[in-house]
Amino acid sequence: MSAHPWMPTSPCGDGCVDHTSATVGAVRALLRAVAALTVLLCGGFVVLGALATRGRVREALLRRWFRALVRAFGARLRVVGPDRFQATPGRGVLVVANHVSWLDELAIDAVQPIRMVAKRDIKDWPVLGRLVTAARTVYLDRERLSLLPGTVAELARALREGAAVGIHAEGTTWCGLASGRYRPALFQAALDAGVPVRPVVLRYRAGDGAATTRTAFVGADTLVDSLRRVLRLRGLVVEVHVLDEIAPGRAADRRELAALAQGAAERAAERAARDGVPAWGTHAALV
């Protein structure tokens, strides 16, 4: 049961997870697990390198590490649209994405490393939790609504300082074929800072190009269960659709701003579902 009326909930559960997609053998899955663990453990050196560098050099270092991690899990990354979230370097932007899996954050940072807002539970995840914390993640305690104004103020401050900050406006995970209503609370940070909002749509496809929910982290899933499914999936492609910015001033309040972002995301998701895998070219890159 929700701790308060604002607490996000999702109807997606175990029954939403696809178990029909083609899988790889146990040996290949084990090799992927070893590769992913190796890349994760190298993250400590990456953090040290990031502390010693700045600007585009630091961004390129982190981006390559996240791309290596996505690849180690057996996935390929396809970016549709601009190759980074900040249209203007040094200007803050609120990146708003749907939420399907723990892979979401890795895919987002593989496009451009940004500060993410995440639920507090992630802080306690083994290895990955420490690395996520080192990336200056802002943790949100969803059960303590009284802390929300402080989180919004922290986000607004980071945006004013020129950071790209990411949120999952649904507040919880969905299966990927269905999505939830965007919660407006955190959009207030973009209004307070006077920065644009960048909607992003994450989609997961199996080897045959069809959308898959096998990556979804929903219902009674444990992190281990979800990891196993991802490691066994054949031909996984993570699509990151980077949409046009919503300029400051287009919305009168946070509710209108959330509705604009959700509308743009829904239209992009419908196009992706209708058109299938985008053709490679200037607006789609597979890395």
Side-chain angles (χ1 to χ4, degrees):
M1 181 178 293
S2 299
H4 50 73
W6 182 84
M7 185 77 168
T9 58
S10 167
C12 295
D14 300 340
C16 296
V17 178
D18 171 29
H19 294 285
T20 62
S21 298
T23 58
V24 300
V27 173
R28 180 174 292 186
L30 178 61
L31 290 174
R32 287 177 175 178
V34 171
L37 182 58
T38 301
V39 177
L40 276 171
L41 293 176
C42 290
F45 297 103
V46 174
V47 170
L48 292 176
L51 292 174
T53 56
R54 293 184 178 182
R56 288 299 183 96
V57 174
R58 178 181 182 275
E59 180 181 303
L61 173 65
L62 292 172
R63 183 174 61 244
R64 288 177 182 175
W65 181 78
F66 278 109
R67 288 188 176 185
L69 188 54
V70 169
R71 195 71 187 98
F73 278 114
R76 300 293 297 275
L77 179 72
R78 177 178 281 116
V79 182
V80 183
D83 60 0
R84 64 195 316 270
F85 303 123
Q86 284 176 294
T88 305
R91 184 188 192 187
V93 62
L94 184 68
V95 180
V96 181
N98 59 312
H99 200 9
V100 178
S101 170
W102 50 269
L103 269 171
D104 296 349
E105 278 73 14
L106 305 186
I108 288 171
D109 283 331
V111 177
Q112 180 188 343
I114 63 176
R115 294 186 66 177
M116 291 296 301
V117 177
K119 61 180 182 178
R120 195 179 183 282
D121 310 26
I122 293 177
K123 189 175 183 180
D124 300 324
W125 285 4
V127 184
L128 189 58
R130 294 195 177 194
L131 294 171
V132 170
T133 299
R136 298 186 300 158
T137 296
V138 178
Y139 289 108
L140 176 64
D141 191 337
R142 299 183 302 174
E143 296 184 1
R144 299 178 64 186
L145 192 58
S146 61
L147 300 179
L148 185 58
T151 301
V152 172
E154 183 178 355
L155 296 183
R157 183 165 55 251
L159 291 168
R160 289 191 194 99
E161 292 171 354
V165 178
I167 66 171
H168 295 295
E170 294 159 304
T172 189
T173 53
W174 288 64
C175 68
L177 298 183
S179 58
R181 180 176 66 86
Y182 281 12
R183 305 281 174 155
L186 297 181
F187 284 86
Q188 186 63 45
L191 293 175
D192 292 345
V195 300
V197 169
R198 173 79 79 175
V200 169
V201 176
L202 297 162
R203 289 182 62 84
Y204 293 87
R205 297 186 186 274
D208 59 359
T212 180
T213 60
R214 192 176 177 86
T215 58
F217 189 23
V218 293
D221 259 350
T222 66
L223 179 60
V224 173
D225 292 335
S226 183
L227 280 167
R228 285 174 177 166
R229 285 202 309 273
V230 170
L231 290 169
R232 291 294 302 271
L233 185 56
R234 182 185 296 276
L236 175 61
V237 174
V238 186
E239 289 180 3
V240 184
H241 296 254
V242 184
L243 310 183
D244 292 339
E245 285 185 341
I246 300 173
R250 281 193 58 194
D253 55 35
R254 64 194 183 198
R255 288 178 176 80
E256 184 179 352
L257 185 55
L260 285 173
Q262 182 163 7
E266 288 175 347
R267 289 190 294 274
E270 289 171 1
R271 287 196 302 270
R274 181 181 65 247
D275 300 338
V277 179
W280 293 13
T282 56
H283 299 292
L286 188 65
V287 295

